[in-house]
Amino acid sequence: MNPTDPQTFSHRTAQISTGRLYHFIDQVPSNYDPTQPPLVCLHGFPDSWFGWRYQIGPWCRQGFRVIVPDMLGYGETDMPHDSSAYSPKNICNDISALLDFLAIPKAVVIGHDWGSHMAGRFALWHPDRLIALVMLSIPYVPPKEQYVSLEELVRAYPSYGYQVYFASESSTSEIEENLVPFLASAFRTPEKALSWSKLNELITNKQINFTDDCLLNERELQFYVSRFQRGMRGPLSYYRTTKTRFEEEKEAQLPVHLPPNLPVLFLYGTKDATCPPSAVRNAHKFISRLNTVAIEDVGHWVMLQAQDRVALEVLRFLSSLGLSQQSRM
């Protein structure tokens, strides 16, 4: 496994019972013990299985089977047209179906960004499939009793203003037409992070050189560009499910608390504008066994900016649960 070469990872595809075709990485260690729980990693926006490239190897070398799907709408995975297909209920059903396909009864689920939100919801929709949970950058937020529109959410948390743009239909074509500046602006260091409140104006501004402070090198950036050649409708659809999410969770009467016996690790960068301290504190109200690790001077892309630290903290967490024989790489 060479993090600079996507082809050195073990690629698979599966037609799962929900009818979706999923592409995923299935990295099985040479010394694999089938009694050791697999790690299932869920990426966010605008990412790919490739976002976990620096952690797959270290975890695999410690004896863990690592499974990393391209999420629905991304890469080589199916891209439904209807935005409701991207609701957490449907995504969690897909992940459960992928575990069924692989004959895995339970796993440790690890998520970043939208993947973190999906991981938290997986603990509500399919609690019997989880051994432990790891959430990165986006803290747990419980199902709401009353519907809160995206516009209302942004008034409460102005740093989420970009979500209104992503939820708009116009963002699809504008981002597709400006894919390189968009991706380069998304993967920026926190010191050079741009205000996304007027993202549409930024990415169409030909005078700005976005690649100067990008966390991706040219080869990595071009790989990401290739992953989005099918279009942005699928990835952006996650932001267009606010009402659907609320209605599905209310109908199912999902609990607001995660299962009391579920161990949870939350990792975040202290310079991540999308992770306000108040939201981190609030998560403790709903998670009995929550461990929180703040990574200083790191922004949203913790898997890139703190590659080894993320891998190590997860291994330490698993070791504390008796799931790993070693806590250091």
Side-chain angles (χ1 to χ4, degrees):
M1 290 161 284
N2 179 357
T4 67
D5 185 357
Q7 295 308 313
T8 61
F9 293 82
S10 178
H11 295 258
R12 295 183 64 183
T13 56
Q15 191 83 41
I16 58 176
S17 61
T18 57
R20 306 296 187 201
L21 179 71
Y22 265 75
H23 164 261
F24 60 101
I25 301 301
D26 187 4
Q27 213 69 46
V28 181
S30 57
N31 59 337
Y32 182 52
D33 177 0
T35 64
Q36 193 85 313
L39 311 183
V40 178
C41 304
L42 311 179
H43 69 77
F45 176 91
D47 211 345
S48 151
W49 72 264
F50 195 56
W52 298 98
R53 61 193 177 279
Y54 292 109
Q55 288 75 43
I56 296 172
W59 291 338
C60 193
R61 287 191 289 272
Q62 291 301 310
F64 289 100
R65 180 182 183 180
V66 185
I67 299 158
V68 192
D70 270 334
M71 300 297 282
L72 193 69
Y74 287 84
E76 298 170 52
T77 293
D78 276 351
M79 183 190 290
H81 185 80
D82 187 354
S83 62
S84 65
Y86 301 84
S87 73
K89 177 183 178 180
N90 289 321
I91 298 296
C92 290
N93 286 343
D94 281 355
I95 299 304
S96 182
L98 181 60
L99 292 179
D100 289 340
F101 176 86
L102 297 169
I104 296 171
K106 294 188 176 186
V108 176
V109 175
I110 306 172
H112 174 254
D113 186 78
W114 263 110
S116 179
H117 182 76
M118 294 302 177
R121 285 305 187 265
F122 192 78
L124 300 180
W125 287 108
H126 298 279
D128 58 319
R129 307 303 297 265
L130 268 178
I131 293 173
L133 180 67
V134 180
M135 304 176 73
L136 277 63
S137 301
I138 299 297
Y140 175 75
V141 177
K144 294 178 172 58
E145 294 182 1
Q146 301 294 328
Y147 175 65
V148 178
S149 70
L150 200 52
E151 289 74 17
E152 290 176 279
L153 175 68
V154 169
R155 281 196 289 272
Y157 297 99
S159 61
Y160 293 164
Y162 62 92
Q163 295 191 17
V164 174
Y165 173 61
F166 289 157
S168 69
E169 289 294 331
S170 62
S171 66
T172 303
S173 58
E174 289 177 356
I175 292 175
E176 288 172 351
E177 293 165 7
N178 298 277
L179 200 51
V180 170
F182 169 70
L183 290 170
S185 64
F187 286 93
R188 285 171 78 89
T189 61
E191 294 80 11
K192 301 294 183 179
L194 301 171
S195 170
W196 283 23
S197 59
K198 296 184 177 180
L199 187 58
N200 58 325
E201 295 178 17
L202 285 171
I203 63 174
T204 57
N205 187 338
K206 306 302 182 184
Q207 305 304 313
I208 301 177
N209 186 351
F210 292 95
T211 59
D212 282 350
D213 299 292
C214 183
L215 290 166
L216 306 176
N217 61 37
E218 181 60 28
R219 185 176 178 180
E220 292 170 330
L221 179 60
Q222 288 308 315
F223 177 78
Y224 273 95
V225 169
S226 73
R227 297 300 86 189
F228 292 102
Q229 286 304 305
R230 289 191 302 162
M232 292 299 298
R233 183 176 183 86
L236 288 165
S237 289
Y238 288 79
Y239 293 95
R240 299 164 185 171
T241 61
T242 305
K243 190 67 179 293
T244 303
R245 297 199 306 265
F246 170 76
E247 291 172 346
E248 290 178 344
E249 292 173 359
K250 185 175 183 180
E251 182 181 2
Q253 296 183 322
L254 288 188
V256 296
H257 293 85
L258 293 191
N261 60 342
L262 179 67
V264 181
L265 173 66
F266 179 60
L267 293 170
Y268 70 101
T270 58
K271 290 190 175 181
D272 186 352
T274 66
C275 184
S278 59
V280 178
R281 290 191 298 270
N282 199 53
H284 282 269
K285 301 175 184 177
F286 305 100
I287 306 175
S288 301
R289 299 180 61 185
L290 176 60
N291 298 295
T292 300
V293 175
I295 304 178
E296 296 295 330
D297 299 322
V298 167
H300 186 67
W301 300 103
V302 289
M303 297 108 73
L304 297 180
Q305 289 191 284
Q307 302 164 10
D308 296 339
R309 178 76 183 277
V310 168
L312 182 58
E313 290 294 348
V314 171
L315 287 173
R316 283 175 173 164
F317 172 64
L318 297 175
S319 180
S320 73
L321 303 176
L323 299 177
S324 174
Q325 295 181 349
Q326 302 180 34
S327 61
R328 294 189 299 173
M329 291 181 290

